[in-house]
Amino acid sequence: IIDLENLNKTPKTSKKKKFIMITIILIIMIVGIVYIVYSCHEPFRNFMDRYFFRKNVTSEKLASIQLDYDSNINVMAYNRHICVLAENSLKQYNSSGNIESELAVEVSNPIYDVSDKYLAISEKGSPKTYLISNSEIVWEKELDGNVSKIDVNNKGYVTAVITGTTHKSVIITFDEKGNELFKIYLARTTAQDACISPDNEYLSFAEINTSGTIIQSVIKVVSVEKAKENPSDSVVYKYKAPSNSLVTNIEYQGKNRLVCIYDDSIHVITNNEDEKIMDLEEDDKKIDIADINLNNYVYRAIEKSTGFFTADTSIEMMNTESKKEVVYAVEGVVKDIENYNDILAINLGQSVEFINTSGWLIKKYTSSQDIQKVIISNNIAGIIYADKVEIINL
């Protein structure tokens, strides 16, 4: 027997559910549009982030890793893990604070670089060097000399800058299996930094000459294929920076854009052409923090006085390809900024604002005590104190 009463109710129930779903979708769309339109209005943005989007987190609700006061401890973020290095042991913790692996690593004062699933780590001022991937040691070596800088790209190619030999600097490049590809010797200049392009076709390095009365910085791009045959005749591009501009770091972004940061400016080299894209010294601006270690972006932090003892900070980000600018305003003076891929962690002392390069707030962390340091990697961040590391999922 057909239940005519229930049959007649079904379409009404279905229409009611559809109406509710459409209403919810419309509300979400309206809230999203209003949030975007009024995002530059800081009180409104803070209200929405806190009460509607629930972006605020506090230390009481987070997983943590306890640290030993008596050990020489170094903490780093790598491939969705928080790593604790102490007593020649590298322990990797997941986002819940549980240990997942432990590696024997003879390093106590590390210098390291991270790219995707690779971690290259050396003992500062020592020859010991490792490449780690997915909780395994891919290779380890005792290099000839002391490592002062190390870089790894997303393919696992490693470049190390060596000092303490008969030359001022030696640049050694390895493939992902640890095979040495070539060495570049610098007799009269010092290598500040070196890096391999994402496609493994180019090695770029920054050198400085301090033998005269002025500092001279030079950027050189080397063909990897040519360097394998004859390193001394492998330079395909050379850029001589203005006198007294001190280069401090270089990084590849995108396919083959080489971004160079000096003490006074940021430059981009594309298709063998140099372009200055950002000033770091301006008469009317206080610029204390700037960096280039992002996906397709660079940034500078400009502190602006708001009173006798107060100031706010403006984070100005620029896309190195399109030159599009994004600005994020912060209340207070920024203590430090850490960054990885497209996320910046802005440390304000007792709070941290995690933003992306589009200028949107991802999470805001608040604490009742001073934050020692912030580390960040793929979808994970660590808030470091003297006795613990608190873990935030981004």
Side-chain angles (χ1 to χ4, degrees):
I1 300 173
I2 300 175
D3 191 343
L4 295 176
E5 185 178 354
N6 288 334
L7 186 64
N8 290 331
K9 286 181 179 179
T10 301
K12 292 181 180 179
T13 304
S14 178
K15 287 180 180 179
K16 187 176 181 180
K17 287 181 178 180
K18 287 182 180 179
F19 176 77
I20 293 171
M21 288 180 63
I22 292 171
T23 302
I24 293 171
I25 291 170
L26 286 173
I27 291 172
I28 293 172
M29 289 177 62
I30 291 169
V31 170
I33 292 169
V34 172
Y35 183 78
I36 292 170
V37 171
Y38 292 97
S39 61
C40 57
H41 187 256
E42 197 161 333
F44 174 79
R45 185 186 69 192
N46 291 338
F47 176 85
M48 294 294 290
D49 287 339
R50 181 174 182 179
Y51 296 105
F52 191 85
F53 294 109
R54 302 289 183 178
K55 293 182 179 181
N56 287 24
V57 293
T58 57
S59 58
E60 294 82 7
K61 299 178 181 179
L62 300 176
S64 64
I65 303 165
Q66 298 303 307
L67 301 179
D68 185 355
Y69 279 110
D70 300 325
S71 298
N72 178 24
I73 294 175
N74 290 276
V75 185
M76 58 197 79
Y78 150 68
N79 197 24
R80 301 189 182 184
H81 290 89
I82 301 296
C83 300
V84 178
L85 177 63
E87 299 178 349
N88 294 331
S89 175
L90 183 71
K91 296 179 180 178
Q92 295 185 344
Y93 295 83
N94 60 25
S95 59
S96 300
N98 300 319
I99 188 168
E100 287 197 344
S101 67
E102 185 172 357
L103 300 173
V105 176
E106 295 179 28
V107 174
S108 58
N109 186 19
I111 55 173
Y112 68 95
D113 188 44
V114 172
S115 182
D116 290 344
K117 64 178 182 179
Y118 291 103
L119 166 65
I121 185 168
S122 296
E123 175 75 19
K124 188 175 183 179
S126 167
K128 200 71 177 179
T129 302
Y130 298 83
L131 178 66
I132 296 168
S133 177
N134 293 328
S135 305
E136 294 182 357
I137 296 175
V138 179
W139 54 259
E140 60 178 285
K141 293 181 181 294
E142 291 272 354
L143 305 182
D144 294 329
N146 301 323
V147 180
S148 64
K149 201 76 181 281
I150 195 163
D151 178 89
V152 62
N153 72 1
N154 60 356
K155 302 290 195 312
Y157 276 50
V158 174
T159 295
V161 176
I162 307 296
T163 60
T165 69
T166 56
H167 294 79
K168 277 201 169 184
S169 296
V170 180
I171 302 169
I172 310 178
T173 301
F174 302 92
D175 67 15
E176 76 281 9
K177 296 179 181 179
N179 300 312
E180 183 181 311
L181 300 179
F182 56 88
K183 289 188 177 81
I184 293 176
Y185 298 93
L186 304 180
R188 294 182 295 275
T189 58
T190 302
Q192 285 285 87
D193 197 13
C195 59
I196 291 278
S197 64
D199 58 11
N200 299 331
E201 290 187 8
Y202 299 101
L203 162 75
S204 292
F205 64 93
E207 60 180 352
I208 60 169
N209 190 334
T210 57
S211 59
T213 57
I214 60 173
I215 295 173
Q216 182 61 63
S217 297
V218 177
I219 310 298
K220 291 181 180 179
V221 179
V222 169
S223 165
V224 170
E225 285 303 314
K226 288 183 178 181
K228 289 177 184 179
E229 301 297 327
N230 185 6
S232 62
D233 188 31
S234 58
V235 175
V236 296
Y237 176 75
K238 177 180 175 180
Y239 171 73
K240 189 176 180 180
S243 299
N244 282 330
S245 287
L246 176 62
V247 62
T248 57
N249 188 22
I250 60 174
E251 290 289 337
Y252 272 101
Q253 293 186 4
K255 185 179 179 181
N256 271 321
R257 288 192 308 280
L258 181 65
V259 186
C260 312
I261 183 168
Y262 300 83
D263 57 348
D264 57 0
S265 59
I266 297 175
H267 291 227
V268 175
I269 296 174
T270 309
N271 297 324
N272 293 342
E273 291 187 5
D274 178 271
E275 177 187 8
K276 183 172 76 170
I277 62 170
M278 186 175 281
D279 283 308
L280 302 181
E281 287 186 357
E282 296 186 30
D283 292 338
D284 57 340
K285 294 179 181 179
K286 185 179 180 182
I287 306 168
D288 292 329
I289 302 172
D291 208 346
I292 60 176
N293 294 310
L294 284 166
N295 282 349
N296 302 317
Y297 276 83
V298 299
Y299 69 87
R300 64 180 185 176
I302 301 175
E303 186 179 313
K304 299 178 181 179
S305 175
T306 56
F308 286 111
F309 302 105
T310 59
D312 291 338
T313 306
S314 177
I315 312 298
E316 296 184 354
M317 297 171 279
M318 177 182 287
N319 186 294
T320 56
E321 183 176 23
S322 67
K323 308 304 184 297
K324 175 186 175 182
E325 294 187 12
V326 177
V327 179
Y328 183 84
V330 179
E331 288 185 356
V333 177
V334 173
K335 180 180 177 182
D336 189 24
I337 299 177
E338 294 293 329
N339 42 267
Y340 183 79
N341 283 346
D342 62 346
I343 299 178
L344 291 81
I346 305 167
N347 183 357
L348 294 162
Q350 291 189 342
S351 67
V352 181
E353 295 185 23
F354 296 92
I355 68 169
N356 60 24
T357 49
S358 296
W360 296 105
L361 180 71
I362 300 170
K363 288 279 178 71
K364 182 175 181 179
Y365 167 89
T366 55
S367 174
S368 59
Q369 55 184 315
D370 288 337
I371 296 163
Q372 196 175 92
K373 188 181 178 182
V374 183
I375 54 175
I376 185 170
S377 186
N378 292 331
N379 301 317
I380 194 169
I383 309 296
I384 303 176
Y385 298 97
D387 59 341
K388 64 179 178 179
V389 182
E390 295 186 339
I391 303 171
I392 298 175
N393 291 305
L394 300 175

